[in-house]
Amino acid sequence: MSLVFRYLGTQILTSFGLALTALLLLFGIFDLIGELDAVRPDGYTTGRAFMYVLLGMVGRIQELLPIAALVGAIFALARLAANSEFTVMRASGLSTPRLIGYQALLGLLLGGTTLLVGEYLTPPAERLAQQIKIRGTTGIVAQEFRSGLWAKDGRAFINIRQMRPDATLIDIRMYEFDDRFRLRLIRQAESAAWTEAGAWALRNVTETTVTETGTRITRREIANWQSPITPDLLSVLMVNPDRMALTTLYSYVNYLKANQQQSTRYEIALWNKLAFPLAAPVMLLLALPFAYRQPRNSKLGSRIMLGILIGLGFHLLNRVVGHVGLLNHWPPVLSALLPLLVFSAAALLTIWRIEQR
C-alpha cells in the first residue's frame, strides 16, 4: 500500500466520517420532530420516541453513505487542491488511472464495511425500534388487513389475526385443501408460540375435518404445527425490505417463489443489497473531477452543495427506478444496477473530458 494511497485514504475517510455524522444528526433531528406528534404520556413516551429514532439511525447509515462519501471526498480533494498538494501528487507521477484505482478501492472498503453493518446491525436495530414503538401504541406487530395477516404454505392458507412483539401468534386459522382444491381441514387455535424444537405450539385447538360423508370436530388443548413459516419469516413485516439482512431476504424470496407468490419487491431489495458496495466507489469517482478544478473557480461551499445535490439525485433515481421496475416488471438486477451504471458513466465521461483538455 503506497504512501499516497494511505494519505488520500486518511483525508477522505476523515471527511467522510464528519459528513456522515453531520447528516445522521440532521436526519435524526427531523425524525425525532416527526415522532413527537405520536408521543403519549401513558404509552409512547418521549424516551421511547428518542430510542426509536436512535435505533433507526443505524439503518440511515446505508441510505446516507453515498451522499456522505461524495461530500466527504469533494471536501478532502478540494482542500488538497487548495493547498497545492494535489498538484504536487500529479507532478510526482500520480496518473489518472491510478487515482481512479485508489478511489475505487477506497470506495469498496467503505461499501463493504457498511454492507456488514447493514447485514448484522441494521435488521436487529430496526426490529427493536419497531417493537419499542408498537409496544407503546397498540402492542401488535402485524395486522396487515382487517382480517389479519395471511400467508400461504403449499395448499394451506393461514390467517393470523395478531402477532405480538415476542412472536406470539393470536387467533390462528388454517384452511387446508386437497390436490383438487377441495377444503378438507379447518384448524383454529387461540394462540401459538415458537418452541426450541423448531415448531409452533398451538393452544386450545379446534379441528374441523371435512369429508364426503360430513364433518368431524376434534378439540385439543395443545398441538404441534410444523411449518416453514417461522418467526424469522414473519419478522420481515417489521423490517423494511431495504433494511433486511441478505440471508433473510434470500430465504423470503425463495419462500414466496415456492408458494407462487409475487416476490419482485423483495428481489429488487436483494439485488440492491448486493449492488450496494458499488455505490461508494461510484460516488468517489464523481468527486474526482472536483480535484482538477482550480480552487479560484469555485468556492468550497458551492462544491459541497453540488455534491449534496448529486448524492440526493442518486438516491432519488435509485428509488424511482426501483418503483418503475416494480410497476413494469423489469428484471430486478436491472432495477438495482441501472442508477449505478448511469452515474458511473457520468463520472468516467467527466474525468475523460478533463483529461482531454
Side-chain angles (χ1 to χ4, degrees):
M1 188 178 294
S2 69
L3 179 63
V4 174
F5 176 74
R6 290 200 299 270
Y7 184 71
L8 275 175
T10 301
Q11 296 296 317
I12 292 175
L13 288 178
T14 301
S15 300
F16 163 76
L18 292 174
L20 182 61
T21 302
L23 289 171
L24 285 174
L25 290 175
L26 180 63
F27 278 82
I29 292 173
F30 290 154
D31 290 340
L32 183 59
I33 292 174
E35 290 299 317
L36 290 178
D37 292 336
V39 167
R40 299 292 182 270
D42 57 345
Y44 190 52
T45 61
T46 303
R48 288 191 174 188
F50 181 80
M51 284 299 301
Y52 173 78
V53 172
L54 187 63
L55 290 168
M57 290 176 69
V58 179
R60 285 283 189 190
I61 293 176
Q62 285 184 295
E63 298 177 7
L64 298 176
L65 172 72
I67 302 176
L70 182 58
V71 172
I74 289 175
F75 181 80
L77 292 174
R79 186 171 55 184
L80 291 175
N83 296 332
S84 300
E85 294 177 83
F86 186 75
T87 303
V88 173
M89 292 179 188
R90 293 281 292 163
S92 301
L94 180 61
S95 64
T96 298
R98 191 177 174 189
L99 191 56
I100 291 174
Y102 286 165
Q103 294 290 86
L105 178 57
L106 187 61
L108 287 174
L109 291 175
L110 276 176
T113 303
T114 312
L115 181 64
L116 294 177
V117 173
E119 181 70 13
Y120 297 105
L121 296 182
T122 300
E126 183 74 9
R127 190 175 296 111
L128 180 58
Q130 294 296 336
Q131 289 178 353
I132 289 174
K133 184 172 183 178
I134 292 171
R135 280 174 178 161
T137 52
T138 64
I140 299 174
V141 170
Q143 193 169 352
E144 274 199 304
F145 307 101
R146 291 184 179 181
S147 58
L149 167 69
W150 285 88
K152 182 174 178 288
D153 179 14
R155 295 192 181 95
F157 292 85
I158 299 97
N159 176 222
I160 303 169
R161 294 303 176 97
Q162 294 180 5
M163 176 181 167
R164 299 200 179 278
D166 59 356
T168 299
L169 309 182
I170 305 298
D171 194 3
I172 307 102
R173 302 179 185 184
M174 289 171 266
Y175 305 89
E176 297 184 13
F177 295 80
D178 59 18
D179 54 357
R180 297 183 179 180
F181 299 100
R182 295 178 301 187
L183 183 64
R184 69 177 187 86
L185 178 67
I186 300 175
R187 180 182 297 154
Q188 294 178 268
E190 184 179 299
S191 64
W194 186 254
T195 64
E196 295 181 357
W200 294 98
L202 303 176
R203 294 187 178 275
N204 298 327
V205 182
T206 301
E207 293 184 352
T208 303
T209 305
V210 181
T211 64
E212 294 180 356
T213 59
T215 59
R216 184 179 70 255
I217 298 177
T218 305
R219 290 182 174 85
R220 287 184 285 178
E221 185 177 345
I222 297 177
N224 286 332
W225 173 36
Q226 293 282 349
S227 173
I229 301 174
T230 64
D232 289 336
L233 284 177
L234 292 173
S235 68
V236 302
L237 297 169
M238 300 173 57
V239 180
N240 188 294
D242 295 330
R243 298 188 178 185
M244 288 165 55
L246 274 172
T247 51
T248 305
L249 268 173
Y250 181 75
S251 176
Y252 194 58
V253 166
N254 287 338
Y255 165 77
L256 292 175
K257 287 183 175 180
N259 287 278
Q260 299 179 351
Q261 298 184 54
Q262 182 60 251
S263 62
T264 307
R265 178 190 178 195
Y266 296 95
E267 288 186 75
I268 292 175
L270 177 63
W271 280 103
N272 279 332
K273 280 275 189 179
L274 293 173
F276 178 76
L278 300 177
V282 171
M283 292 298 105
L284 293 186
L285 289 179
L286 280 170
L288 194 55
F290 289 86
Y292 289 86
R293 300 181 62 185
Q294 295 298 323
R296 63 177 179 272
N297 291 340
S298 178
K299 294 182 179 179
L300 182 59
S302 62
R303 295 186 184 189
I304 293 177
M305 180 59 66
L306 180 59
I308 293 175
L309 292 177
I310 294 174
L312 290 175
F314 173 79
H315 180 73
L316 180 61
L317 180 62
N318 205 33
R319 293 286 183 178
V320 170
V321 170
H323 288 297
V324 172
L326 182 62
L327 291 174
N328 293 280
H329 306 287
W330 290 357
V333 62
L334 177 63
S335 299
L337 294 180
L338 184 58
L340 290 172
L341 293 175
V342 170
F343 276 76
S344 297
L348 294 176
L349 179 61
T350 305
I351 294 172
W352 178 79
R353 290 187 61 183
I354 290 176
E355 280 290 290
Q356 297 303 308
R357 293 179 180 177

